[in-house]
Amino acid sequence: MALISCPECNAEISNQANACPKCAYPIKNSSAKVKVTEVQFTKKKLKIHRTIALTMFYLGLFSLPLMSILEGNGYGDSYFILLLSILWIILPISIIYLLILRILIWWNHA
Ligand SMILES: [Zn+2]
């Protein structure tokens, strides 16, 4: 427990107090609650990004064997190949995406 001065009336109060006993200025909970919400929001956002990145990664990963199967079956000129080629390009992008996310997660925890 430490003593801090109230930002409203400058009275010496405990940092454990929820509000200043003199002027009822909220001390602890206001800032703590904001911080928790911020962390949860960041986690949720990162989770969504991770899901997108992983979906891209697997789409790209599966495009290669699919491409060779289609080429082997004589569909080499079809639009499927064009589509799968795009997915194949997505693969390195998704790897970079995942790496950036990993750095962001590390950054938030540091
Ligand atoms: Zn006060």
Side-chain angles (χ1 to χ4, degrees):
M1 199 185 96
L3 286 173
I4 53 160
S5 58
C6 172
E8 192 68 23
C9 67
N10 282 323
E12 287 228 309
I13 47 166
S14 160
N15 66 342
Q16 303 285 305
N18 290 331
C20 173
K22 269 193 176 173
C23 69
Y25 185 85
I27 304 295
K28 196 184 163 197
N29 281 346
S30 55
S31 59
K33 266 180 191 164
V34 167
K35 217 171 185 185
V36 168
T37 320
E38 216 169 78
V39 168
Q40 278 172 344
F41 183 65
T42 313
K43 268 187 183 170
K44 213 174 184 181
K45 245 170 53 177
L46 283 172
K47 246 184 199 172
I48 294 162
H49 278 297
R50 229 176 88 90
T51 310
I52 295 164
L54 280 172
T55 309
M56 280 166 69
F57 178 75
Y58 285 115
L59 275 172
L61 205 67
F62 284 119
S63 73
L64 193 67
L66 257 171
M67 214 155 36
S68 57
I69 290 164
L70 283 172
E71 269 176 345
N73 288 328
Y75 289 102
D77 302 321
S78 73
Y79 284 112
F80 284 114
I81 296 299
L82 192 74
L83 191 79
L84 290 170
S85 306
I86 294 162
L87 290 176
W88 181 233
I89 296 160
I90 282 171
L91 189 63
I93 297 166
S94 69
I95 291 165
I96 295 161
Y97 195 175
L98 280 167
L99 274 171
I100 292 166
L101 283 175
R102 215 155 252 277
I103 294 161
L104 277 175
I105 290 161
W106 170 82
W107 191 265
N108 278 335
H109 283 264

